[in-house]
Amino acid sequence: MDQHFERIATNGIHLRVALSGPEDGPLVILVHGFPESWYSWRHQLKALGEAGYRIAAPDVRGYGGSDKPHEVEAYDMQNMAADMAGLTEALSPDAQAVVIGHDWGAPIAWNSALLHPHRFRAVAGLSVPHMPQGEYSFIDVVDMLYTKQGKFFYQVYFQDEGPAEAELEADTAATIRKFYYSASGDMPDGTYPADKKHGDVMLTGLPEPDLPLSWLTEEDVAYYAGEFAASGFRGPLNRYRNHRRDHAYLRSVSDQIIRQPSFFIGGSMDPVLRMIPGRDPLALMKPALPGLQGAHILEGCGHWTQQERASEVNELLLGWLGGL
């Protein structure tokens, strides 16, 4: 299946987009997370494109070949969702798309469907369930649960502009190797180091994997590392610096229910599903997703769902898409 790139105007910026599949096929937008790129969907671009869907996997703003606004607020959820709505309008002006996201791409996908229902006919999230807005923003919740208890939490560390950029950009290949391995199903205990304290830095205690892993090669790492060496980490990290802004905006939206058909895939070893102790994120998302058509947990899979378990994810997605 042929794959090519286009730079597409949307919401006042340009995104570099990897495209595959027939131009007249139903449009599916694939939204990556942190620290990733369009390349995170390489297995889905081929499989879903060959199944007859038109697949568009952008570098989200701040990443790779896409535009990189400097301001923190340029990366708020309102803008991220508008980027996906504008991309859909550019590629499929007369028909709705399906939007599927992983990691930060999952909240972008969920909220694109919520805020732009006229553009999206269905939505799926990988790794990160849809979490309706509560009384407190996520960053304030983890501040109470982690920071005030003296524990390290990476998203708190990411709040200050500069230190995280400097650490992660010092050796982008090492950043990718350690970050990916530490949240994967290959990590021996399946979780981040438990003894990290507030004041530590991101990569402290994260082991170096022996490559290749079954799903991650040296060539894969080299591609990601080259992208971040060129683009830097400021744009990607700015996404984390909008928690309170996002919370205030999304709480103001009168209808918090995503009514389109929806779908979820996660991994049993994914640290995301254990971030808030004592809370079941799958149970929390169901009231706001009345059209939920499946929630699949892949045994032994870590955070990088569509990369770690490409064939299983492709089979699940194709089955769901075929039933829409």
Side-chain angles (χ1 to χ4, degrees), residues 2 9 29 41 47 70 95 107 123 147 163 195 227 245 290:
D2 291 337
I29 307 286
W41 298 104
H70 184 79
V123 56
T147 309
D195 58 350
E227 293 291 281
R245 185 176 289 106

Side-chain angles (χ1 to χ4, degrees), residues 44-194:
Q44 290 68 45
L45 278 157
K46 177 177 172 59
L48 275 59
E50 289 179 345
Y53 296 95
R54 189 181 192 197
I55 307 303
D59 287 336
V60 302
R61 61 168 62 200
Y63 286 80
S66 293
D67 287 353
K68 303 167 185 64
H70 184 79
E71 300 80 6
V72 168
E73 58 269 23
Y75 296 83
D76 66 14
M77 187 58 73
Q78 188 175 4
N79 270 313
M80 306 303 279
D83 288 352
M84 298 306 124
L87 178 59
T88 299
E89 182 179 7
L91 293 173
S92 181
D94 299 321
Q96 293 177 303
V98 176
V99 60
I100 301 172
H102 167 257
D103 183 78
W104 258 126
I108 293 171
W110 297 125
N111 286 297
S112 294
L114 175 68
L115 299 173
H116 303 277
H118 60 296
R119 291 290 175 205
F120 300 103
R121 64 188 179 98
V123 56
L126 277 59
S127 176
V128 180
H130 174 53
M131 301 296 289
Q133 298 299 311
E135 182 178 356
Y136 302 102
S137 73
F138 178 80
I139 198 67
D140 290 324
V141 171
V142 297
D143 182 64
M144 290 184 284
L145 293 176
Y146 289 85
T147 309
K148 286 184 169 53
Q149 308 303 318
K151 300 176 183 179
F152 175 86
F153 193 79
Y154 71 104
Q155 296 192 33
V156 174
Y157 171 61
F158 288 167
Q159 294 306 299
D160 292 334
E161 298 176 48
E165 283 92 334
E167 183 194 8
L168 300 181
E169 290 169 8
D171 183 341
T172 57
T175 294
I176 292 299
R177 289 193 303 268
K178 292 179 179 182
F179 208 98
Y180 279 29
Y181 180 58
S182 68
S184 75
D186 293 306
M187 185 77 168
D189 62 358
T191 188
Y192 291 99

Side-chain angles (χ1 to χ4, degrees), residues 10-56:
T10 171
N11 190 33
I13 62 168
H14 286 79
L15 300 180
R16 179 179 69 171
V17 184
L19 295 160
S20 72
E23 289 193 6
D24 59 351
L27 180 62
V28 179
I29 307 286
L30 303 177
V31 191
H32 70 79
F34 176 92
E36 300 183 85
S37 85
W38 73 267
Y39 187 78
S40 306
W41 298 104
R42 58 197 178 278
H43 306 297
Q44 290 68 45
L45 278 157
K46 177 177 172 59
L48 275 59
E50 289 179 345
Y53 296 95
R54 189 181 192 197
I55 307 303

